């Protein structure tokens, strides 16, 4: 029984690919794999590539434009969201045993830009910036109210 040249796992005589690592075992399989990779590369290049970073509400139709596509206002919004979100989480973590810290942590997380990307799949589209700011405000108000009352 021959072995795979890549991983030294035993392979069947008729196997086109290694069952362990997926390496092609015949010239035909290698050519087939090369053609498949080439088609995939052309498809990705034809569709504009990735660039799937979180973005704002640009009018280009792309839910998550690359950083270069963001306007100054959207870049400012993103930077402010990161600063506000992480700042709130850090402040809340200093008060972790207290009940008011948990709504503040949730509010800080809710305003972070990556949360828009994470909510886009189950909801069908990313939440708008205003919704994210509203969630932050609700959680922050609950945390502040708990701080004052307790």
């Amino acid at each position: 029984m021959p072995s795979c040249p890549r991983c030294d796992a035993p392979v069947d005589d008729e196997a086109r690919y290694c069952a362990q690592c997926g390496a092609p075992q015949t010239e035909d399989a290698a050519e087939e794999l090369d053609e498949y990779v080439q088609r995939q590369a052309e498809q990705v290049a034809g569709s504009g590539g990735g660039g799937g970073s979180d973005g704002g509400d640009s009018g280009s139709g792309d839910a998550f434009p690359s950083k270069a596509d963001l306007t100054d206002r959207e870049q400012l919004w993103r930077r402010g969201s990161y600063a506000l979100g992480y700042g709130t989480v850090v402040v809340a973590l200093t008060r972790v045993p207290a009940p008011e810290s948990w709504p503040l942590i949730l509010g800080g997380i809710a305003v972070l830009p990556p949360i828009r990307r994470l909510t886009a799949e189950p909801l069908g589209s990313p939440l708008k910036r205003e919704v994210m700011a509203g969630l932050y405000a609700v959680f922050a108000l609950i945390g502040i109210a708990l701080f004052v009352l307790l």
Side-chain angles (χ1 to χ4, degrees):
M1 181 176 271
S3 64
C4 175
R6 179 188 269 168
C7 69
D8 291 328
V11 293
D12 291 333
D13 290 332
E14 300 87 29
R16 292 173 43 98
Y17 297 95
C18 174
Q20 194 72 21
C21 70
Q25 300 298 306
T26 65
E27 288 297 321
D28 290 337
E31 289 176 14
E32 180 182 320
L33 181 63
D34 287 341
E35 290 172 9
Y36 174 76
V37 169
Q38 184 65 29
R39 281 193 312 269
Q40 292 298 318
E42 289 171 0
Q43 184 178 9
V44 168
S47 68
S53 63
D54 179 50
D57 299 324
S58 68
S60 67
D62 187 7
F64 301 114
S66 66
K67 190 172 184 178
D69 294 338
L70 296 176
T71 65
D72 290 340
R73 182 178 179 200
E74 290 165 338
Q75 287 181 5
L76 180 63
W77 173 264
R78 183 187 290 180
R79 288 184 191 130
S81 295
Y82 275 117
L84 183 64
Y86 285 129
T88 303
V89 169
V90 168
V91 168
L93 287 175
T94 63
R95 304 199 40 89
V96 159
E100 69 268 10
S101 66
W102 301 109
L104 290 175
I105 290 172
L106 290 174
I109 291 171
V111 79
L112 292 174
I115 298 302
R116 292 187 68 218
R117 186 177 356 195
L118 293 173
T119 59
E121 182 140 343
L123 298 178
S125 67
L127 292 174
K128 297 218 178 272
R129 294 184 299 211
E130 294 81 10
V131 172
M132 303 300 284
L135 285 172
Y136 173 80
V138 167
F139 283 124
L141 289 174
I142 291 170
I144 292 168
L146 286 173
F147 178 74
V148 170
L149 295 174
L150 302 176

